[in-house]
Amino acid sequence: MKRILITGAGGQIGSELVTSLRKRYGADAVLATDIRPLSNAVCDSGPTAILDAQDQDAVAQTTVEHGTDTIFHLAAILSAVGETNPGLAYKINMGTLHSVLEVARLKKCSVFTPSSIAVFGPATPKENTPQNTVMRPTTMYGVTKVAGELLCDYYHKKYGVDTRGVRYPGLISYGTPPGGGTTDWAVDIFAQAVRKNSYSCFLKEGTTLPMMYMPDAIEASIQLMEADPAKLVHRNAFNVTAMHLNPQTLAKEIKKHIPTFKIEYEVDQNLESIAQSWPRTIDDSAARLEWGWSPKYDLADMTEEIITELSRST
Ligand code: NAD
Ligand code: SER
């Protein structure tokens, strides 16, 4: 990786990935793009462009102008928004990925595309979900993520494009707000705990999902793209996880720092049923074996850091 282009760079992951990649590869090497204007922090720290990743000609032109060799493709519609507008989720998730893969094929770029635990469905084993197992998702988001994994495999096998990806679990961060996912509660809870001492949760107290703190997710993405390709068997879509959380467990950990914090539940049945269709715990041994994946943060470390940072800025 020498010259990097990021699509969807203004989102929850992109805004932090830009910073890490610019530190590692130099500010000028990392072009941050999004369909909407990017934050001042991203614009002030290196090159940026407005780019609709569905527009293959525009993606090709931007790729060539930047001298790109690697694309991190983050533009997407997430699960909760996707269920309110499945047509949009299909159009954006499939359209942007196809245009990025075509450009990668023609301009000889490597591509990182995140998949998700949403590729799994009600028929998948819920505990210690294996790397290779039943994938019959019941959300449009999940359908596009399974199709995306297969499309990335196809471009690798048929055209030799260096495609790689991970199945992120729910990602927890405190910088950029999340973009409309079923796991957004685990981000919102921290902001509300620090600001209001209370949080009204849209999932049930015992609904457990695989989760990860953002610094580990960023490290996973970069580490996979830097890994020796000869060692990658499951190149598109490695299971990765760091912790397994439900609202009750996270609230208990937050209370260690904010003893007066209160959580109440106003369950959204649509989101609850999406969460119920996903795994509770994940087996990420293939990622550990093939490229040395290992998360640094556990629940206690993450909670302490987020509350400290949010308290400082509130
Ligand atoms: P996000 O919603 O925060 O950001 C997505 C970004 O894509 C937004 O800034 C949006 O403006 C941009 N975008 C939308 N349509 C676009 C288009 N046509 N062209 C260019 N940009 C466009 O999402 P995120 O959380 O940063 O997720 C990034 C990727 O990671 C997605 O593929 C998502 O499915 C995946 N993922 C995220 C999580 C998570 O918990 N955040 C978990 C699993 C997988
Ligand atoms: N965190 C994402 C979502 O809830 C999972 O891909 O949509």
Side-chain angles (χ1 to χ4, degrees):
M1 286 197 284
K2 290 201 176 81
R3 304 284 300 174
I4 297 163
L5 184 155
I6 307 177
T7 71
Q12 188 196 359
I13 300 174
S15 52
E16 301 206 20
L17 181 65
V18 169
T19 308
S20 294
L21 285 172
R22 282 180 177 163
K23 267 192 203 142
R24 207 127 149 178
Y25 291 95
D28 289 344
V30 181
L31 175 62
T33 75
D34 203 291
I35 198 167
R36 58 183 171 138
L38 289 152
S39 69
N40 289 343
V42 169
C43 292
D44 292 347
S45 64
T48 59
I50 297 291
L51 178 65
D52 179 352
Q54 293 176 102
D55 182 343
Q56 192 182 310
D57 292 341
V59 175
Q61 190 181 339
T62 311
T63 298
V64 171
E65 281 171 4
H66 183 59
T68 308
D69 58 44
T70 305
I71 302 173
F72 282 77
H73 175 49
L74 304 182
I77 302 293
L78 274 71
S79 61
V81 175
E83 282 315 281
T84 63
N85 194 341
L88 181 72
Y90 183 84
K91 182 170 175 284
I92 299 292
N93 295 3
M94 298 317 303
T96 59
L97 179 58
H98 185 251
S99 107
V100 164
L101 288 172
E102 271 298 287
V103 171
R105 174 175 78 83
L106 296 166
K107 308 296 176 195
K108 312 244 174 297
C109 300
S110 302
V111 184
F112 174 83
T113 309
S115 187
S116 161
I117 52 167
V119 292
F120 301 118
T124 305
K126 291 224 174 304
E127 301 294 350
N128 212 23
T129 302
Q131 174 68 42
N132 300 314
T133 184
V134 179
M135 289 161 77
R136 306 285 295 174
T138 47
T139 61
M140 178 55 87
Y141 175 69
V143 168
T144 65
K145 287 294 173 187
V146 174
E149 289 185 8
L150 295 173
L151 202 57
C152 289
D153 281 349
Y154 182 86
Y155 270 73
H156 174 62
K157 285 194 191 108
K158 178 134 182 126
Y159 303 118
V161 179
D162 182 5
T163 54
R164 307 184 190 191
V166 295
R167 293 178 182 139
Y168 284 135
L171 300 182
I172 304 177
S173 61
Y174 60 86
T176 304
T182 306
T183 57
D184 288 9
W185 70 268
V187 177
D188 299 339
I189 192 172
F190 282 103
Q192 299 300 323
V194 171
R195 239 182 266 139
K196 298 197 323 196
N197 248 4
S198 65
Y199 178 62
S200 174
C201 188
F202 58 75
L203 292 189
K204 289 184 183 163
E205 61 179 14
T207 301
T208 300
L209 290 167
M211 298 273 180
M212 187 183 290
Y213 187 31
M214 190 61 84
D216 275 331
I218 300 297
E219 192 52 36
S221 317
I222 298 175
Q223 207 185 330
L224 174 59
M225 290 310 283
E226 289 176 345
D228 177 357
K231 295 196 173 140
L232 302 180
V233 180
H234 302 90
R235 48 173 49 242
N236 290 298
F238 285 92
N239 282 0
V240 285
T241 191
M243 52 191 105
H244 303 106
L245 292 182
N246 61 48
Q248 194 175 36
T249 330
L250 188 46
K252 207 168 144 199
E253 192 65 30
I254 290 173
K255 268 172 178 276
K256 290 182 187 166
H257 302 265
I258 308 172
T260 52
F261 173 65
K262 284 199 169 40
I263 185 164
E264 57 180 28
Y265 296 90
E266 211 173 320
V267 176
D268 179 318
Q269 286 307 336
N270 293 325
L271 296 178
E272 177 64 27
S273 75
I274 295 176
Q276 290 293 345
S277 75
W278 291 350
R280 290 162 53 85
T281 62
I282 290 273
D283 171 10
D284 60 4
S285 50
R288 289 171 186 266
L289 194 70
E290 291 175 38
W291 48 278
W293 158 247
S294 176
K296 290 194 178 61
Y297 286 84
D298 63 13
L299 174 60
D301 303 330
M302 173 186 76
T303 304
E304 183 172 356
E305 186 165 299
I306 296 181
I307 290 181
T308 305
E309 290 301 325
L310 284 175
S311 304
R312 195 176 292 157
S313 60
T314 304

